[in-house]
Amino acid sequence: PGPKPVNILAKLQNLAVGPGLWGGWGKVFLAPLPYLLLNGGSNVNLVTADHVSPLHEACLGGHAACASVLLKHGAQVNGVTIDWNTPLFNACVSGSVDCLNLLLQHGASPHAACDLASPIHEAAKRGHVDCVESLASHGVNIDHNIKHLGTPLYVACENQRLDCAKKLLESGASANGGKELDTPLHVAAKNSSADLVHLLIDFGADTHAKNGEGKIPVELVLPSSTITHIFMQREGPPSLMQLCRLCIRKCFRHKEHHRITGLLLPDELKRFLLHL
């Protein structure tokens, strides 16, 4: 069987947002089409041979308005394709936080239906920091370790997504959770990412952790890189201030670090605890 009418509509939305044949008028003409198709008897949950629904297509294209209409007409919010992709996973692919929040409001699970398609890992990989923040605030396990990917923080560092790495750490992710014995600091050192190295050490990354080959992060730095001096500067035990900050932050679970602002402490100290 070929694509269903509503699936075609969701794909057409991609043409409506750019220049060319449709120009700015495409969005105007396509806007009422979901209502016309659905009110005309089209099944909102018809899927392709790969189990791709209209809602999957809308979220992959980042079309929140189209997704909203589909959801109001009973679209299955947690539908899964043969590749284990959910509409929420597709929203993380496109980076549409509007689609993501819309799905969550309609009961979408923020958790992966399968480790082959984890929303938080996909958002971290692509640098969609708003999606990472939304998922973290809705209770997703930000330290979820997938064998072939590692943790979301590891994925962010592997793809040099500094903003996502910072958001994950601020949300309480472990600075040492990586992929098997490789830590985020190992991959940051290998990629010669100075900003990530500084960030990870600030959040308590272990500079002496050994990977599967028995190497510590600094031993993975390329000979031509200039970040070796960062490790040399940060060599030795952390300062008492740093140890206190790490200890206090560990007292707060995931999603609770914002409560630091409510502590009866000077504002300067609260900013220090929050890495501001």
Side-chain angles (χ1 to χ4, degrees):
K4 306 300 186 291
V6 187
N7 295 62
I8 294 174
L9 164 67
K11 287 187 175 182
L12 284 176
Q13 294 282 344
N14 287 315
L15 299 176
V17 296
L21 176 64
W22 293 87
W25 290 101
K27 191 177 293 186
V28 176
F29 287 122
L30 285 173
L33 282 182
Y35 295 99
L36 294 176
L37 284 171
L38 295 171
N39 290 335
S42 293
N43 186 344
V44 71
N45 288 311
L46 285 177
V47 297
T48 66
D50 294 333
H51 292 186
V52 177
S53 72
L55 187 58
H56 282 98
E57 294 283 10
C59 293
L60 187 60
H63 306 301
C66 187
S68 178
V69 173
L70 293 168
L71 288 166
K72 287 177 181 177
H73 281 77
Q76 293 181 2
V77 72
N78 288 313
V80 180
T81 70
I82 61 169
D83 295 320
W84 295 99
N85 295 357
T86 61
L88 189 137
F89 176 85
N90 282 3
C92 289
V93 172
S94 66
S96 173
V97 72
D98 290 336
C99 282
L100 180 66
N101 289 334
L102 184 66
L103 292 166
L104 291 169
Q105 290 166 14
H106 282 78
S109 171
H111 311 292
C114 171
D115 282 348
L116 294 176
S118 168
I120 186 71
H121 286 78
E122 192 67 20
K125 169 188 171 182
R126 295 176 180 270
H128 300 318
V129 65
D130 289 338
C131 292
V132 168
E133 182 175 15
S134 183
L135 289 170
S137 68
H138 280 82
V140 73
N141 180 7
I142 56 176
D143 284 326
H144 181 41
N145 199 321
I146 296 176
K147 185 175 178 61
H148 67 284
L149 294 176
T151 62
L153 178 60
Y154 184 87
V155 170
C157 292
E158 186 177 35
N159 291 277
Q160 301 189 57
R161 304 297 189 180
L162 179 64
D163 289 344
C164 284
K166 189 172 190 295
K167 181 56 63 178
L168 288 164
L169 289 165
E170 289 174 346
S171 300
S174 169
N176 294 305
K179 181 181 179 182
E180 297 183 346
L181 293 178
D182 270 332
T183 68
L185 191 56
H186 278 99
V187 73
K190 184 177 179 180
N191 289 337
S192 297
S193 178
D195 289 338
L196 278 172
V197 168
H198 275 301
L199 177 71
L200 291 165
I201 295 177
D202 281 344
F203 277 86
D206 185 358
T207 59
H208 297 287
K210 293 184 178 181
N211 65 8
E213 298 176 351
K215 294 183 178 181
I216 61 175
V218 70
E219 294 178 311
L220 298 182
V221 178
L222 297 174
S224 59
S225 176
T226 59
I227 70 168
T228 304
H229 72 280
I230 298 176
F231 287 95
M232 295 177 63
Q233 290 172 353
R234 308 297 290 268
E235 188 66 26
S239 67
L240 181 59
M241 287 180 63
Q242 172 72 344
L243 288 173
C244 289
R245 173 163 64 181
L246 294 173
C247 183
I248 293 173
R249 286 182 63 87
K250 284 183 180 179
C251 294
F252 294 87
R253 294 177 295 177
H254 294 170
K255 298 195 301 176
E256 292 187 344
H257 285 83
H258 66 278
R259 293 175 58 190
I260 291 176
T261 58
L263 296 177
L264 298 177
L265 296 171
D267 289 342
E268 185 176 354
L269 183 53
K270 285 189 281 190
R271 287 195 294 270
F272 173 74
L273 293 174
L274 291 167
H275 291 269
L276 298 177

